[in-house]
DNA sequence: CCCTGATTCGC
DNA sequence: GCGAATCAGG
């Protein structure tokens, strides 16, 4: 890969946004984090502040606008999902469920309300490691395609939440509910 | 061990 | 100019 104007502009933008060199390398593709750091220096872009600096020294540039990427589960309703709350009759019990329309998997994923779900870290394919959830989100043919990316502790390819979805397809759940 | 950016230096 | 290797640190 060579440093085309387009790639350099993307590097500048992502570096200004506060992404780490490895994250930028993953976004660009075809380069290592060392290559990114080397390029940043050659471009004379402002470096990152030292961690243990004294009082006055420079602060990391404009971290305020950077989208946070939580690495762990957070107890809140599913984010970024098309949802609607429905009530379904099951015998004498009225079950309230939230139905997510998962466009990529072309299924409706239903789950009880108040379930703890992960917030996607929106990782690119090249950012995945052995310990990140590999559940795909979005349309692979569109720019916003990404993976869940939550931390996982075992050998599962998915976080605990998405593992349940993966191994408990909606069709099976519907059968079980009958 | 995971990660970070900074620097050096052969290519 | 490029980036792997290395260093120093969280």
């Amino acid at each position: 890969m060579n440093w085309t104007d387009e790639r350099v502009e993307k590097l500048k933008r992502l570096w200004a946004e506060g992404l780490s060199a490895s994250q930028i390398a993953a976004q660009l593709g075809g380069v290592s984090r060392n290559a990114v750091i080397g390029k940043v220096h050659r471009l004379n872009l402002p470096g990152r502040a030292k961690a243990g600096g004294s009082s006055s020294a420079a602060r990391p540039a404009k971290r305020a606008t950077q989208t946070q990427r939580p690495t762990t589960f957070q107890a809140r309703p599913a984010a970024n999902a098309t949802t609607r709350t429905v009530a379904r009759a099951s015998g004498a019990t009225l079950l309230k469920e939230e139905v997510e329309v998962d466009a990529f998997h072309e299924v409706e994923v239903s789950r009880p309300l108040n379930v703890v779900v992960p917030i996607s870290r929106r990782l690119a394919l090249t950012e995945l490691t052995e310990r990140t959830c590999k559940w795909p989100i979005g349309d692979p043919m569109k720019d916003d395609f990404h993976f869940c990316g939550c931390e996982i502790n075992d050998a599962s390819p998915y976080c605990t939440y998405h593992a349940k979805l993966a191994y408990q397809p909606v069709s099976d759940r519907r059968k079980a509910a009958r």
Side-chain angles (χ1 to χ4, degrees):
Chain A
M1 294 299 296
N2 61 326
W3 286 108
T4 61
D5 289 347
E6 193 174 323
R7 288 164 64 79
V8 170
E9 287 307 308
K10 189 169 185 179
L11 164 61
K12 287 180 179 176
R13 174 166 51 84
L14 296 176
W15 184 259
E17 287 175 2
L19 296 202
S20 70
S22 59
Q23 287 175 320
I24 294 172
Q27 293 286 326
L28 291 172
V31 290
S32 67
R33 72 176 197 95
N34 279 324
V36 169
I37 292 171
K39 188 62 178 174
V40 164
H41 281 247
R42 266 174 256 120
L43 290 169
N44 288 316
L45 296 179
R48 294 287 159 72
K50 294 287 186 182
S54 56
S55 57
S56 60
R59 292 266 48 180
K62 294 186 178 179
R63 283 253 173 186
T65 55
Q66 182 186 1
T67 302
Q68 295 297 319
R69 294 195 196 186
T71 58
T72 57
F73 287 10
Q74 293 190 13
R76 68 165 71 174
N80 305 322
T82 301
T83 63
R84 67 176 189 272
T85 300
V86 300
R88 286 180 180 166
S90 176
T93 307
L94 189 64
L95 298 178
K96 286 186 177 180
E97 292 183 315
E98 195 164 58
V99 177
E100 296 182 16
V101 177
D102 186 325
F104 176 77
H105 297 90
E106 297 183 342
V107 295
E108 279 191 354
V109 180
S110 63
R111 59 178 177 78
L113 290 176
N114 303 321
V115 163
V116 175
V117 301
I119 293 175
S120 168
R121 295 174 65 208
R122 305 186 65 86
L123 299 187
L125 173 62
T126 48
E127 293 178 296
L128 297 176
T129 72
E130 290 182 2
R131 289 184 309 284
T132 55
C133 176
K134 299 161 191 67
W135 186 266
I137 298 172
D139 185 337
M141 300 303 291
K142 294 182 179 176
D143 284 342
D144 69 343
F145 181 64
H146 59 274
F147 293 82
C148 169
C150 275
E151 283 186 352
I152 51 182
N153 299 317
D154 55 23
S156 165
Y158 304 119
C159 64
T160 54
Y161 173 68
H162 283 131
K164 288 177 183 174
L165 300 188
Y167 299 119
Q168 193 173 46
V170 172
S171 57
D172 291 348
R173 290 194 46 166
R174 285 175 177 160
K175 290 176 186 173
R178 290 200 188 101

